[in-house]
Amino acid sequence: MSTNLNIASINTWINTDKKPFIISGPCSAENYDQLYATSKELKSIGIEIIRAGVWKPRTRPGTFEGNGEKALKWIKKIKNELNVKFAVEVANPNHVKLCLNYGIDILWIGARTTVNPFSVQEIAESLENIDIPILVKNPINPDLSLWIGALERLNKCGLKKIGAIHRGFSTPDKTKYRYAPMWKIAIDLKSSFPNLPIVCDPSHICGNREMIHDISQKALDLGYEGLIIESHIDPENAWSDAKQQVTPIYLKDIISNLKIKKKIEKNQNHKILLEDLRDAIDNVDKDLIGVLEKRFDLVKKIAEFKENQDLTVFQVKRWNEIFESRKNWSKEKNLDMKFVEELYKLIHIASIKSQTEILNKK
Ligand code: PEP
Ligand code: MN
């Protein structure tokens, strides 16, 4: 199913002069002093939008679940004193109502809420025709349709200042990340909706502060518009997500080491060079497809031979030989052996499928 989203240009709701735009602030608003001190330092390093968790979706009960309305009062005061904007997570219409009452500037829907269409629908309806920016975190499970569905529900209720936050996905296997990035899902989202701003949340992807720079850089290299990074005046003693929060000074260091690459080449000579290289890639890809066509013609001949000789389609000895020889050939050409192995798995599976189809027709 394909739809179009009616998306307001991002610079109508965020100052995009600084690239990328950065939202930063504590995982949780713990108390006034912590929130004020963090916000003040963030403002001093040029951050204009502060994030703060007011209601915390904790996996197990019995831990700190946020300060609720009390925190919104602190935010209102800090907004006035420091002249900064605030972004807050909402998970139900009551959260929405309170955020609107306290003048919150940007809302976001958390990963555990995006998974539930009932909750998203209720939030969307509670915001009907209210002109507030809202960002949607990816659902915790790797399901692009759910992510798109949440954006569509908001859009259908008249919200146009929408964007996505890529915060990584739960996987059954342990990885070096807290939540595996699975970049392809976010890239597919961007290809379906090129005007949709995408923000990367390296804090929740990494789960530790050491990897945040590299993941942020990767997001920028992929053309993400912004970053949302958790920061805290005293991360070690944070009440939630302590390992992944950074001090504002550490954040400044991360930002100053990021390389911002242009999306569109402005220099004419560079543009021509890029176009030439793309033409060359197009030609190589045409050749590649031509070679695949030849390979599949041979596969057909093999299928006919096997049919005449009463041989099975799948021959384990040949399967192993293919992997070994291709891996060695790729080594000689300095190609990534793992990549070539994966490629041959796909080719071999397609070849078996095509042979089986030919044999079944007869
Ligand atoms: C958060 O941003 O602190 C949070 C709870 O994130 P997520 O919904 O990505 O788990
Ligand atoms: Mn957090």
Side-chain angles (χ1 to χ4, degrees):
M1 201 174 76
S2 75
T3 39
N4 251 327
L5 292 174
N6 186 353
I7 303 164
S9 166
I10 183 175
N11 47 27
T12 61
W13 55 276
I14 253 178
N15 176 4
T16 51
D17 294 348
K18 285 189 202 140
K19 289 194 173 39
F21 72 80
I22 309 235
I23 302 175
S24 185
C27 178
S28 309
E30 297 163 7
N31 53 59
Y32 179 81
D33 291 345
Q34 166 252 8
L35 190 59
Y36 181 79
T38 311
S39 308
K40 192 160 187 276
E41 281 215 13
L42 287 171
K43 165 125 189 181
S44 78
I45 64 157
I47 303 296
E48 293 169 0
I49 308 168
I50 316 282
R51 59 150 284 156
V54 166
W55 299 277
K56 298 307 299 175
R58 306 307 295 271
T59 305
R60 307 280 298 268
T63 47
F64 171 65
E65 294 194 323
N67 281 303
E69 190 169 358
K70 204 160 49 166
L72 292 174
K73 291 189 178 144
W74 306 331
I75 291 176
K76 194 172 173 195
K77 197 158 169 241
I78 295 171
K79 262 170 69 64
N80 287 337
E81 282 190 34
L82 298 178
N83 188 26
V84 286
K85 290 188 171 173
F86 264 85
V88 167
E89 174 179 349
V90 289
N92 61 44
N94 188 43
H95 296 168
V96 168
K97 195 172 121 214
L98 285 164
C99 282
L100 295 175
N101 285 348
Y102 283 89
I104 298 304
D105 305 277
I106 297 175
L107 306 176
W108 87 80
I109 296 184
R112 290 163 192 78
T113 307
T114 311
V115 288
N116 186 342
F118 291 129
S119 302
V120 175
Q121 187 62 31
E122 280 179 7
I123 293 172
E125 284 171 15
S126 71
L127 281 164
E128 186 117 38
N129 295 322
I130 294 175
D131 188 29
I132 187 164
I134 182 158
L135 302 166
V136 180
K137 285 207 177 192
N138 65 258
I140 209 147
N141 53 324
D143 184 337
L144 177 59
S145 293
L146 264 180
W147 201 0
I148 296 175
L151 291 157
E152 286 170 336
R153 287 177 195 279
L154 295 170
N155 210 212
K156 276 188 200 300
C157 285
L159 288 132
K160 297 195 186 71
K161 295 175 178 166
I162 51 176
I165 301 178
H166 175 205
R167 53 79 75 203
F169 301 88
S170 272
T171 49
D173 301 324
K174 234 180 138 33
T175 70
K176 65 175 174 171
Y177 304 103
R178 179 176 178 201
Y179 294 104
M182 301 190 182
W183 298 99
K184 189 176 176 303
I185 298 179
I187 292 168
D188 285 348
L189 178 68
K190 189 73 174 171
S191 330
S192 308
F193 307 103
N195 299 331
L196 181 74
I198 304 208
V199 178
C200 181
D201 173 349
S203 309
H204 289 88
I205 289 178
C206 300
N208 64 63
R209 55 187 76 90
E210 292 75 24
M211 294 198 302
I212 290 179
H213 170 271
D214 289 0
I215 290 296
S216 303
Q217 184 63 60
K218 166 116 186 169
L220 297 190
D221 293 348
L222 289 171
Y224 285 47
E225 279 77 7
L227 300 169
I228 178 165
I229 300 179
E230 285 187 341
S231 57
H232 192 291
I233 197 71
D234 180 12
E236 300 296 340
N237 292 308
W239 298 1
S240 56
D241 289 352
K243 286 203 200 98
Q244 71 196 33
Q245 301 205 58
V246 296
T247 60
I249 302 299
Y250 192 114
L251 177 67
K252 188 175 175 217
D253 198 47
I254 292 178
I255 299 171
S256 58
N257 282 306
L258 289 174
K259 291 193 185 66
I260 315 293
K261 295 167 191 165
K262 284 178 256 128
K263 276 196 190 167
I264 310 239
E265 219 17 281
K266 291 208 177 89
N267 179 317
Q268 206 52 22
N269 289 337
H270 289 180
K271 193 171 166 218
I272 291 166
L273 178 64
L274 184 62
E275 278 166 12
D276 283 352
L277 291 170
R278 285 185 175 150
D279 282 348
I281 290 251
D282 286 351
N283 288 335
V284 170
D285 282 348
K286 255 189 225 152
D287 290 348
L288 251 174
I289 305 259
V291 170
L292 281 173
E293 185 196 15
K294 273 191 210 146
R295 196 183 193 283
F296 279 100
D297 283 346
L298 290 168
V299 164
K300 275 186 213 144
K301 291 201 178 114
I302 288 187
E304 278 153 19
F305 181 83
K306 284 181 182 163
E307 162 75 0
N308 290 338
Q309 302 292 314
D310 246 351
L311 291 172
T312 55
V313 164
F314 179 69
Q315 310 244 331
V316 71
K317 191 162 162 271
R318 173 70 181 153
W319 169 262
N320 290 334
E321 268 170 21
I322 286 192
F323 283 128
E324 278 322 301
S325 54
R326 273 59 172 176
K327 270 200 291 188
N328 290 335
W329 297 343
S330 57
K331 200 171 168 188
E332 283 163 22
K333 301 276 180 205
N334 279 331
L335 283 171
D336 178 344
M337 283 169 34
K338 193 86 201 122
F339 160 70
V340 174
E341 188 179 336
E342 290 302 317
L343 183 64
Y344 269 93
K345 265 187 208 154
L346 288 176
I347 291 179
H348 199 65
I349 288 166
S351 151
I352 289 174
K353 185 165 170 266
S354 141
Q355 293 183 51
T356 315
E357 276 165 12
I358 292 170
L359 294 187
N360 286 346
K361 252 188 229 150
K362 294 214 164 161

